[in-house]
Amino acid sequence: MDPSTFTQAQIEYSALLPLFVIFGAAMVGVLVEAFVPRAARYATQLGVTLVGLVAAFVLLVTVSKNHQGITAGRALAIDGPALMMQGTVLVLSFLAVLVMAERFNADGPDTFTQSGSSVPGSPQEAAAERLGATTTEVFPLTLFAVAGMMMYPAATNLLAMFVALEILSLPLYILTGLARRRRLLSQEAALKYFLLGAFSSAFFLFGSAMIYGFAGTLDLTSIANATGTQSGRDSVLVMGIVLIAVGLLFKVSAVPFHSWTPDVYQGAPTPVSGFMAACTKVAAFGALLRVFYVAFDSMRWTWQPVIEVVALLTMVVGAVLTVTQTDMKRLLGYSSVSHAGFLLLALTALDKSSVAGVQFYVAAYGAATITAFAIVALVRKSGVEATHLSEWAGLGRRNPLIAGVFGFLMLSFAGIPLTAGFTSKFALFAPVVKFGPVWLVVVAMIVSAITAFVYARVIVVMFFSEPADGVQVAVPSVLTAVAVAAGAALTLALGVMPAPLLDIAGNASQFLR
């Protein structure tokens, strides 16, 4: 039966089983943290997290896809775009959790601090180290964030969307401040992320209140119906759209709401930076597309010119500032900003093929990004991460395999053929050429050339410079090795054989209303 026949009906709650599993696994993680002895806590938490993610993905592809429709009191939609984004979040989160587990090595915990609330060098921190404390709470926090990321693109009600936004954001604020090294920088990043995130949530709430004042409802479909029947309240509607857009654009790191991104990516524990850069972008663009494709489609003449300007600024500012970066994590942060500008092009061509292009793009970008941050965590000098670009000089001679994988990821970010980056850019730009402003695609191609220079510079530094003194590549654990291998393989496979995922994305690009 065509899933569109379910648009006015309630569906079985079995469609929400993946979400229930993630929430359940997170609650089990909380209980493990409270009652399991410290010696067994890490293995138990890691096992619960990985099993929960795998179980949720299996349920997603076996149960949820057969029960598409609107459920939970018309608060959540289980449709093609929601399932695609949720599946992408689960796969990328699995890779991210494998990288997070790298902190436990022969020398003890390294990435995450044993006492996140203590001042660096304080007696409280020393006492935590003597007790052998470990920050295993990162696993249930990650699961709570994943649950919010799964709700966010599926929400068909602005209130449910706000709840999902807070569920995914609050754990990330905490995770950002848990870095063991450069603790003050990490705590500063967490505070900045929290304050700016609170502002963005406030904008979203004010916008939702204005939309409710206009339409008398927070349901996206009902809002769309009201835009054609209400009169005399256009100013309230337009202001509501603007404020909601601000809240959503903050999460995707769009200019001028991008300033938090490089600081947070630099200060957060490196595995958390990869998790945020990949998975948050998937969830945020899923929510952004649903709001504008479903609720405000008929008002495109009002907001599309603004989105075009925002997309232009995001691409250009992200690319130009990427050129000036010498810190690898900040470079990847500004790279994330420019990629967000590319993805915003989907809102300038309101067609289902654009939705499919976004779905493919975030999957390809997410796999490469988690892998890149995992490699950044392995390059070390004097026991800490060597993130300055000069410290990567000659890395190709010290470790050709790791440098080769990272160089391949740079080529993918640049959009070189036979990589996932090239295919994803083609899938994203083609609908805009057909249905949107062609001049924006021309700008996007120029911006891609600018960023290609940045990525090529990294490759030149790694392979054509004298090795930097004291820099070593740590031997990764099995879990990190699996994550890096899987991410690199996905980046290659989606460039050489993109058809399967493109077909899945194309068949899952219709929003239920």
Side-chain angles (χ1 to χ4, degrees), residues 13 79 142 173 177 192 318 349 374 384 458 466:
Y13 277 88
D79 55 9
T142 300
Y173 301 150
K192 181 177 292 187
V384 298
V458 174
E466 291 298 321

Side-chain angles (χ1 to χ4, degrees), residues 379-417:
V379 181
R380 296 179 171 273
K381 181 178 182 180
S382 301
V384 298
E385 294 174 356
T387 59
H388 197 278
L389 186 60
S390 63
E391 295 173 321
W392 286 59
L395 189 67
R397 301 183 188 181
R398 295 187 184 275
N399 196 314
L401 179 60
I402 290 296
V405 172
F406 196 81
F408 175 68
L409 297 175
M410 293 296 100
L411 294 178
S412 180
F413 288 144
I416 302 302

Side-chain angles (χ1 to χ4, degrees), residues 89-158:
V89 165
L90 289 172
V91 172
L92 296 180
S93 298
F94 186 88
L95 296 179
V97 168
L98 295 180
V99 178
M100 289 180 189
E102 173 64 32
R103 72 189 193 282
F104 290 90
N105 50 48
D107 299 323
D110 181 70
T111 301
F112 295 94
T113 178
Q114 293 97 325
S115 180
S117 61
S118 64
V119 177
S122 65
Q124 292 80 6
E125 182 182 54
E129 291 181 358
R130 286 196 303 271
L131 291 173
T134 54
T135 319
T136 49
E137 63 267 24
V138 298
F139 294 113
L141 286 172
T142 300
L143 285 176
F144 278 119
V146 170
M149 292 172 185
M150 293 178 67
M151 287 182 60
Y152 202 31
T156 59
N157 183 291
L158 291 177

Side-chain angles (χ1 to χ4, degrees), residues 279-513:
C279 298
T280 303
K281 198 169 255 68
V282 175
F285 269 101
L288 190 69
L289 291 177
R290 185 175 296 278
V291 167
F292 284 97
Y293 272 69
V294 175
F296 304 135
D297 182 11
S298 62
M299 293 291 293
R300 66 177 69 182
W301 57 272
T302 300
W303 54 262
Q304 261 189 338
V306 178
I307 293 295
E308 291 177 9
V309 174
V310 171
L312 171 65
L313 292 176
T314 304
M315 289 187 294
V316 173
V317 171
V320 171
L321 292 181
T322 300
V323 174
T324 65
Q325 300 308 306
T326 57
D327 184 273
M328 192 63 70
K329 292 174 73 174
R330 292 184 69 86
L331 186 150
L332 292 175
Y334 278 113
S335 172
S336 173
V337 173
S338 64
H339 284 286
F342 297 149
L343 286 162
L344 284 173
L345 295 182
L347 291 179
T348 67
L350 290 181
D351 184 76
K352 61 182 296 185
S353 57
S354 289
V355 177
V358 169
Q359 291 171 342
F360 185 91
Y361 198 107
V362 292
Y365 169 78
T369 298
I370 290 176
T371 309
F373 275 102
I375 292 176
V376 169
L378 297 177
V379 181
R380 296 179 171 273
K381 181 178 182 180
S382 301
V384 298
E385 294 174 356
T387 59
H388 197 278
L389 186 60
S390 63
E391 295 173 321
W392 286 59
L395 189 67
R397 301 183 188 181
R398 295 187 184 275
N399 196 314
L401 179 60
I402 290 296
V405 172
F406 196 81
F408 175 68
L409 297 175
M410 293 296 100
L411 294 178
S412 180
F413 288 144
I416 302 302
L418 299 182
T419 66
F422 173 80
T423 309
S424 57
K425 281 186 171 65
F426 181 83
L428 189 65
F429 294 165
V432 182
V433 172
K434 186 175 182 180
F435 300 104
V438 178
W439 66 271
L440 264 182
V441 178
V442 175
V443 173
M445 298 300 293
I446 296 173
V447 168
S448 296
I450 295 174
T451 55
F453 162 76
V454 179
Y455 304 131
R457 182 181 64 177
V458 174
I459 296 174
V460 169
V461 168
M462 289 193 298
F463 288 97
F464 301 100
S465 300
E466 291 298 321
D469 294 333
V471 177
Q472 299 292 332
V473 177
V475 178
S477 66
V478 174
L479 297 178
T480 298
V482 169
V484 170
L490 283 173
T491 303
L492 177 62
L494 294 179
V496 178
M497 299 179 295
L501 186 59
L502 284 174
D503 290 340
I504 294 173
N507 294 329
S509 58
Q510 184 64 50
F511 290 100
L512 294 183
R513 299 173 184 266

Side-chain angles (χ1 to χ4, degrees), residues 122-212:
S122 65
Q124 292 80 6
E125 182 182 54
E129 291 181 358
R130 286 196 303 271
L131 291 173
T134 54
T135 319
T136 49
E137 63 267 24
V138 298
F139 294 113
L141 286 172
T142 300
L143 285 176
F144 278 119
V146 170
M149 292 172 185
M150 293 178 67
M151 287 182 60
Y152 202 31
T156 59
N157 183 291
L158 291 177
L159 183 58
M161 193 168 287
F162 172 75
V163 171
L165 174 63
E166 294 306 299
I167 292 175
L168 78 88
S169 297
L170 292 175
L172 293 179
Y173 301 150
I174 300 172
L175 290 170
T176 299
L178 294 181
R180 186 185 185 198
R181 311 290 183 181
R182 301 177 180 176
R183 180 85 60 75
L184 293 179
L185 183 64
S186 177
Q187 292 173 344
E188 177 190 349
L191 182 60
K192 181 177 292 187
Y193 192 19
F194 169 72
L195 292 176
L196 293 178
F199 277 117
S200 73
S201 297
F203 278 114
F204 187 90
L205 273 181
F206 276 118
S208 300
M210 288 192 169
I211 294 298
Y212 185 83

